[in-house]
Amino acid sequence: DAKTTQPTSMDCAEGRAANLPCNHSTISGNEYVYWYRQIHSQGPQYIIHGLKNNETNEMASLIITEDRKSSTLILPHATLRDTAVYYCIVRVANSGYALNFGKGTSLLVTP
Amino acid sequence: KAGVTQTPRYLIKTRGQQVTLSCSPISGHRSVSWYQQTPGQGLQFLFEYFSETQRNKGNFPGRFSGRQFSNSRSEMNVSTLELGDSALYLCASSLDKASYEQYFGPGTRLTVT
């Protein structure tokens, strides 16, 4: 699986958009980008995934650059409950379920 | 529908003992994975089961083992506990081999004294 690089921590004001970057410059053509988050004392939660095209669901949007070397997770209107560690994971689909979580980005949403 | 459940939620054991943790996946899910989370190492993959067969295994010693039953429920066992085994043990379930999403339980907090 390709390695990912994320900032260690970020802050965001409540109500504003939170843009979490992820670098995956060694991604290969059949690898997907997945995002999970872990709120303190809970298990990780799936957010969104994508291959090439931008994706949006009820939780977030995922923007993948044309060369696929980086992506951005966007929480359009961050709330205090979005304070969590966000993990960007790159892996081949259907390759087994081992997720390499890495260190992630600790997002703090402030009032 | 009900989420992934793990029992017990908290456990305190002594070095040298063994422990069994249980995971009930979401109804209809056939794949179960286990992870260990510690402050120093983060989330690390232990093993994955699908249809009662272990499909993948992480880099953990043989003291860590698991199994899956015909109803997809899974157990993991740690023998000869060490202080370093103190961690949050997380179970995740997926619908089948083609699923992109894993759904995690709340975890079992194991403390070894």
Side-chain angles (χ1 to χ4, degrees):
Chain A
D1 293 343
K3 181 179 177 181
T4 61
T5 304
Q6 299 177 253
T8 302
S9 63
M10 294 181 63
D11 292 344
C12 178
E14 189 178 20
R16 305 296 293 269
N19 297 286
L20 293 96
C22 179
N23 182 286
H24 31 79
S25 58
T26 60
I27 193 170
S28 58
N30 62 346
E31 289 183 311
Y32 286 71
V33 180
Y34 297 79
W35 283 85
Y36 281 76
R37 73 178 182 183
Q38 186 174 23
I39 296 170
H40 182 63
S41 299
Q42 297 182 20
Q45 176 189 24
Y46 165 83
I47 301 173
I48 199 168
H49 74 276
L51 181 63
K52 297 180 184 178
N53 300 320
N54 298 336
E55 303 287 345
T56 296
N57 63 21
E58 64 279 3
M59 288 183 66
S61 294
L62 174 60
I63 308 298
I64 303 174
T65 58
E66 193 169 343
D67 62 7
R68 303 208 323 122
K69 293 183 183 301
S70 66
S71 61
T72 301
L73 178 74
I74 301 173
L75 307 178
H77 305 287
T79 71
L80 299 179
R81 287 175 292 183
D82 291 323
T83 292
V85 177
Y86 287 77
Y87 298 96
C88 170
I89 301 164
V90 174
R91 62 184 286 271
V92 177
N94 304 335
S95 63
Y97 291 101
L99 294 172
N100 294 317
F101 280 86
K103 300 294 185 184
T105 296
S106 179
L107 174 68
L108 175 64
V109 180
T110 56
Chain B
K1 52 184 173 184
V4 178
T5 58
Q6 293 187 246
T7 56
R9 292 293 311 279
Y10 302 92
L11 203 52
I12 299 175
K13 289 286 189 178
T14 305
R15 270 183 302 176
Q17 289 186 315
Q18 68 92 26
V19 67
T20 299
L21 312 181
S22 180
C23 171
S24 293
I26 292 172
S27 178
H29 284 197
R30 298 166 61 194
S31 176
V32 173
S33 298
W34 288 89
Y35 294 81
Q36 180 196 66
Q37 185 171 31
T38 60
Q41 299 298 319
L43 273 155
Q44 292 187 289
F45 171 75
L46 279 158
F47 26 65
E48 179 224 341
Y49 289 87
F50 180 82
S51 292
E52 302 179 66
T53 301
Q54 186 180 90
R55 293 209 310 159
N56 290 293
K57 190 176 191 305
N59 188 26
F60 278 82
R63 300 185 298 107
F64 292 81
S65 63
R67 59 177 175 169
Q68 187 180 33
F69 302 95
S70 59
N71 62 358
S72 294
R73 190 177 69 84
S74 177
E75 290 182 345
M76 68 162 283
N77 184 278
V78 187
S79 62
T80 319
L81 284 166
E82 301 176 359
L83 295 178
D85 297 333
S86 293
L88 180 67
Y89 289 88
L90 291 156
C91 165
S93 77
S94 298
L95 187 59
D96 56 33
K97 286 187 286 187
S99 294
Y100 296 102
E101 307 167 29
Q102 291 191 35
Y103 295 86
F104 283 80
T108 294
R109 173 74 63 185
L110 171 66
T111 302
V112 182
T113 62

